Amino acid sequence: MDHPAPHSPIPGETAFDLHGPIIPDRPIILSVPHAGRAYGADLLASARVPVSILRRLEDRRVDILVEPLIARGFSIIVARTPRAMIDLNRHEREIDPGMIADLPRDATLQSSAKLRGGLGLFPRRMPGAHELWRGPMSWAEARRRIDTVHRPYHAALGHMMAAAREAHGHAILIDLHSMPPLGAAAGQAAPDMVLGDRFGRSASTRLMMLAADVAASHGLTVAQNHPYAGDHMVDRHGRPEQGLHAIQLEIDRTLYLDGALDQPGPGVARMQAIIAGMVEALAVELPRAGYALAAE
């Protein structure tokens, strides 16, 4: 059963969709924060680049990989709001001050390497597009996006994590992303998948090893924490010492998209099966008292 979000930042649309029970009947929750494609007219009018450029910020069509898990009744949250509007995988204070026209003097912001590269809470630029927007937004608009998209998404995710821990003794978040193809380095094959747990801070090593083993058993080359260790999503929701585990999962887009990396390709069914196998294995890995094993 679907549970639509109560907030509507884009007329006629919701910020995100909730699939499955709010109190998860398994300890697994999936998050898909970067596949949103609901570009509102106001957002497009404020852009100085065409929507085809804004779509480059997406984890293109990665939400199709969880469709079989939705059908099986897993608890899954999928963003509808595009990353171009607000990045759910950034802290709400990770704001480029140049993006805000009337930033209050007492506003507390924080910097990061991603923000300095143009990819903060409100993406500003990326390779091939020095400035995405015609001008800065108002502080009121920034707060509106945070209040109607970012906070409700994380609140819903936090609620499901807490409910899963209460029901099952622990909770495991899989934060699903996709990545452009990575080049081989130092004589090693480029990874097909990168698992991130903030270098052991957001999930049990036992769970990371299991996820990697499942992927490898399907013939995938798997890396851990390099070059992606996870960001705000797993950092915020992963507290292994409290029975809350969070793993970021990055998948090479060539494995499920067509040659243009735009539409679903011939690899969709295989990748759906791999993700489902990984999720099913993780769902039964820890016993009821598994949260006591968190500090491995």
Side-chain angles (χ1 to χ4, degrees):
M1 178 179 179
D2 291 359
H3 301 272
H7 301 274
S8 299
I10 301 171
E13 300 288 344
T14 54
F16 53 85
D17 290 326
L18 287 173
H19 303 275
I22 295 294
I23 300 176
D25 55 13
R26 306 165 177 92
I28 293 275
I29 297 102
L30 289 99
S31 162
V32 188
H34 283 168
R37 298 183 288 276
Y39 292 90
D42 289 347
L43 185 71
L44 295 178
S46 66
R48 62 184 301 172
V49 298
V51 68
S52 59
I53 298 295
L54 297 181
R55 287 188 179 127
R56 286 170 48 195
L57 290 163
E58 297 174 14
D59 288 344
R60 190 69 176 159
R61 303 281 181 179
V62 75
D63 51 315
I64 63 175
L65 299 184
V66 301
E67 288 178 355
L69 293 169
I70 291 173
R72 295 184 199 181
F74 279 85
S75 297
I76 302 173
I77 181 169
V78 181
R80 292 169 66 86
T81 301
R83 185 182 180 187
M85 179 179 176
I86 190 167
D87 191 335
L88 295 163
N89 202 24
R90 299 290 181 267
H91 194 284
E92 68 174 58
R93 294 198 298 269
E94 210 169 328
I95 298 172
D96 183 338
M99 290 283 291
I100 310 299
D102 55 343
L103 185 70
R105 291 184 178 181
D106 60 351
T108 303
L109 306 183
Q110 67 181 47
S111 186
S112 69
K114 291 288 181 66
L115 182 143
R116 292 188 292 273
L119 297 176
L121 182 69
F122 307 115
R124 180 174 182 175
R125 60 183 179 273
M126 56 184 168
H130 183 64
E131 290 288 344
L132 298 175
W133 312 105
R134 297 183 183 278
M137 73 182 79
S138 68
W139 181 241
E141 171 61 14
R143 296 306 311 173
R144 185 188 73 83
R145 296 183 189 185
I146 292 169
D147 290 342
T148 61
V149 183
H150 193 279
R151 288 183 176 177
Y153 189 98
H154 284 280
L157 192 51
H159 174 80
M160 287 191 291
M161 291 284 285
R165 180 181 58 181
E166 178 67 21
H168 308 289
H170 62 280
I172 304 168
L173 168 65
I174 302 297
D175 191 46
L176 183 62
H177 297 260
S178 68
M179 61 186 182
L182 298 174
Q188 297 181 338
D192 301 310
M193 177 181 291
V194 180
L195 299 169
D197 67 349
R198 304 294 290 172
F199 298 97
R201 295 196 301 273
S202 71
S204 163
T205 301
R206 174 173 167 176
L207 297 176
M208 283 283 283
M209 291 178 63
L210 175 60
D213 287 347
V214 171
S217 73
H218 287 272
L220 298 186
T221 301
V222 184
Q224 295 188 28
N225 289 307
H226 297 286
Y228 305 112
D231 210 291
H232 178 65
M233 196 72 65
V234 298
D235 199 41
R236 175 170 179 165
H237 296 285
R239 295 288 183 272
E241 71 282 357
Q242 299 175 23
L244 301 170
H245 304 269
I247 297 172
Q248 178 175 285
L249 176 56
E250 293 270 7
I251 299 169
D252 185 334
R253 290 171 194 155
T254 64
L255 297 178
Y256 70 93
L257 292 178
D258 60 13
L261 299 183
D262 183 58
Q263 296 300 318
V268 167
R270 174 177 180 247
M271 290 310 304
Q272 287 177 331
I274 293 173
I275 298 303
M278 182 183 297
V279 168
E280 295 280 9
L282 290 170
V284 298
E285 173 63 6
L286 296 182
R288 167 74 194 188
Y291 59 93
L293 305 176
E296 296 173 2

